[in-house]
């Protein structure tokens, strides 16, 4: 199954390039996901330190950790957005690749249908000749 956008070699190259791009983007998406998980763990640790500091009435220490907690949460939101954007691009490329494959298969099917149409046209001419022979 190949994309039907030119010669067979360019079809294979295009499909390979799309598949390669999908693999690379998926690798980057997983790296972003891993980083997000690490920051989530850091955020939880920071929160625990904040709670502990508040309980010990260490307000300044709690404030410093709370500020860092807020910044880590902002970065996590950016990473989530980045991860979703990468996922969206991957899904779109997979759709393009699959639609290209479907178009190739449909092209083959249309060639067969066209061939059947040609046979039927020839058959209808033969039927007309038989009908004329019967009438004469």
């Amino acid at each position: 199954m190949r994309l039907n956008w030119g010669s067979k070699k360019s079809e294979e190259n295009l499909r390979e390039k799309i598949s390669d791009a999908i693999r690379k983007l998926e690798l980057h998406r997983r790296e972003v996901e891993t980083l997000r998980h690490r920051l989530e763990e850091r955020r939880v640790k920071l929160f625990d330190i904040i709670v502990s500091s508040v309980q010990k009435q260490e307000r300044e220490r709690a404030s410093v950790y709370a500020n860092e907690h807020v910044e880590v949460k902002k970065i996590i939101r950016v990473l989530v957005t980045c991860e979703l954007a990468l996922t969206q691009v991957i899904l779109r490329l997979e759709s393009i690749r699959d639609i290209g494959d479907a178009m190739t298969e449909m092209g083959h099917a249309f060639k067969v249908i066209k061939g059947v149409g040609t046979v039927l046209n020839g058959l209808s001419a033969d039927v007309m000749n038989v009908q004329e022979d019967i009438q004469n």
Side-chain angles (χ1 to χ4, degrees), residues 21-99:
I22 291 169
R23 280 190 295 276
K24 288 177 181 177
L25 288 170
E26 184 60 36
L27 175 69
H28 290 298
R29 190 201 61 76
R30 283 193 304 267
E31 288 174 356
V32 169
E33 181 182 32
T34 300
L35 179 58
R36 181 179 54 82
H37 286 299
R38 282 195 346 244
L39 286 175
E40 281 288 347
E41 290 172 4
R42 178 169 167 75
R43 185 194 63 76
V44 169
K45 288 178 185 176
L46 289 171
F47 185 78
D48 291 342
I49 293 171
I50 294 167
V51 170
S52 172
S53 297
V54 168
Q55 289 173 344
K56 294 176 186 175
Q57 298 197 5
E58 298 172 338
R59 302 264 182 237
E60 290 179 19
R61 184 171 190 245
S63 177
V64 168
Y65 280 94
N67 289 334
E68 186 63 21
H69 182 263
V70 168
E71 294 302 317
V72 170
K73 279 178 68 173
K74 287 179 188 177
I75 294 169
I76 290 170
R77 277 191 292 254
V78 169
L79 289 174
V80 167
T81 302
C82 181
E83 190 177 345
L84 289 172
L86 286 169
T87 300
Q88 185 177 17
V89 170
I90 290 166
L91 290 171
R92 184 61 51 93
L93 286 173
E94 289 172 342
S95 295
I96 290 169
R97 182 187 60 198
D98 295 343
I99 289 169

